[in-house]
Amino acid sequence: MQQRAPLTLNATTWILLILLGFIWGGSFFFARYAVAYVPPFTLVFLRLSLAALALHLYLRGGNNLYQILRTRWRGFILLGLINNAIPHTLIFLGQTEIGAGLASILNATTPIWTVLIANKLTADEKLSPAKIAGTILGLSGTAVLIGPSTFLQTDVPLWAVILPILAAVSYGFAATYGKRFRDVPAPVTAAGQLTASSILMLPAALVIDQPWSLPMPPLSAIAAILALALLSTAFAYILFFRIMAVAGATNASLVTLLVPPSAILLGALFLGEILHPLDFVGMALIGAGLLVLDGRIIRIPSPGDKIGRS
């Protein structure tokens, strides 16, 4: 049987990948601005529900959307909880105190937690020397960020730094659990989890935030919410699925390296955010860990690798 050629990134796909990194970096910028006017639980609900509506309109019932939603609603509820409702809420709560750049750097630890969780819960994704090295580098970067970023900025509470890391852990569980949906078209999975998580967040927003009692946010905040939902969630999912289809999941995951720089740039340009030098050290360690995990630029051979292969 003829083997398939490995999926690679061509020039067009690289452009799409860079665009996606900028869009997802923008989500931290939009959230940081909007959360000043809209409480976190309501902001999460608006992001998820508007994105779900947009994807439903995009799919228009295609790919057996509604049949799959009826038969697999329990799985979508769990996936929506750990991939949308919990991590988005934790990140937005943290962003009431920390900037977009730092939140995005902490969130970039997601692949590291995914490696650790998959090693424990799956049989086909065990730790290798490269994974161990990448995990140590990434966790070292996280430790650098938690320590200096908290104690040098005395106005930033520790809990606000920890919440985005807990969100990354939740994303790690979601990535492992999401393997159960490999037989479902990716846009349907996205629409299903966003629909489920919207339903989950509605009572929390109503009970905790009581949005009917809140003042109307300014037009700039409304624009940020729409951008967060339609651009950084609905459109970003469609873009991500297109990249994955032509380049594969591993190549698509490289977007994680591109999100923090774009979030930092937007935060510096429009929100006046300033990061300490050690924050960049932490980001560099996380980036190095991700490059080791990816294995193409920085490769650590496994014991089973053959030496001197022609």
Side-chain angles (χ1 to χ4, degrees), residues 31-63:
R32 176 59 173 164
Y33 185 82
V35 80
Y37 301 95
V38 179
F41 289 93
T42 299
L43 183 58
V44 172
F45 170 72
L46 291 173
R47 175 183 186 174
L48 298 176
S49 59
L50 291 173
L53 176 60
L55 282 175
H56 277 277
L57 293 175
Y58 170 75
L59 289 168
R60 291 174 297 197
N63 294 322

Side-chain angles (χ1 to χ4, degrees), residues 72-94:
R72 304 185 68 162
W73 62 270
R74 293 179 182 85
F76 283 128
I77 287 178
L78 180 55
L79 185 62
L81 181 67
I82 61 177
N83 201 37
N84 296 138
I86 289 176
H88 289 348
T89 300
L90 293 175
I91 291 171
F92 289 177
L93 284 170

Side-chain angles (χ1 to χ4, degrees), residues 4-18:
R4 287 185 179 180
L7 295 171
T8 58
L9 287 163
N10 57 31
T12 301
T13 313
W14 266 113
I15 293 173
L16 294 178
L17 194 72
I18 294 170

Side-chain angles (χ1 to χ4, degrees), residues 138-162:
L139 292 178
S140 299
T142 305
V144 169
L145 287 170
I146 291 177
S149 295
T150 299
F151 298 112
L152 291 178
Q153 302 177 46
T154 56
D155 57 331
V156 176
L158 179 61
W159 62 264
V161 178
I162 292 177

Side-chain angles (χ1 to χ4, degrees), residues 37-232:
Y37 301 95
V38 179
F41 289 93
T42 299
L43 183 58
V44 172
F45 170 72
L46 291 173
R47 175 183 186 174
L48 298 176
S49 59
L50 291 173
L53 176 60
L55 282 175
H56 277 277
L57 293 175
Y58 170 75
L59 289 168
R60 291 174 297 197
N63 294 322
N64 295 319
L65 171 63
Y66 299 117
Q67 179 181 350
I68 295 174
L69 289 180
R70 285 193 298 269
T71 57
R72 304 185 68 162
W73 62 270
R74 293 179 182 85
F76 283 128
I77 287 178
L78 180 55
L79 185 62
L81 181 67
I82 61 177
N83 201 37
N84 296 138
I86 289 176
H88 289 348
T89 300
L90 293 175
I91 291 171
F92 289 177
L93 284 170
Q95 285 198 268
T96 61
E97 297 288 345
I98 66 175
L102 181 55
S104 69
I105 295 171
L106 295 171
N107 187 67
T109 62
T110 296
I112 296 161
W113 299 110
T114 302
V115 166
L116 296 174
I117 293 167
N119 176 72
K120 188 70 176 179
L121 300 182
T122 68
D124 58 347
E125 294 190 39
K126 296 302 182 182
L127 285 173
S128 65
K131 289 182 177 180
I132 293 172
T135 300
I136 292 173
L137 281 170
L139 292 178
S140 299
T142 305
V144 169
L145 287 170
I146 291 177
S149 295
T150 299
F151 298 112
L152 291 178
Q153 302 177 46
T154 56
D155 57 331
V156 176
L158 179 61
W159 62 264
V161 178
I162 292 177
L163 289 186
I165 298 175
L166 294 178
V169 175
S170 185
Y171 282 134
F173 279 106
T176 303
Y177 181 74
K179 295 172 67 174
R180 302 186 180 204
F181 294 87
R182 282 184 289 194
D183 60 322
V184 179
V188 174
T189 302
Q193 68 171 8
L194 287 169
T195 301
S197 55
S198 299
I199 295 172
L200 291 172
M201 289 304 303
L202 178 58
L206 293 176
V207 173
I208 297 174
D209 292 341
Q210 299 182 351
W212 61 86
S213 65
L214 301 173
M216 177 65 69
L219 288 177
S220 57
I222 294 175
I225 294 170
L226 291 174
L228 182 64
L230 303 180
L231 179 63
S232 296

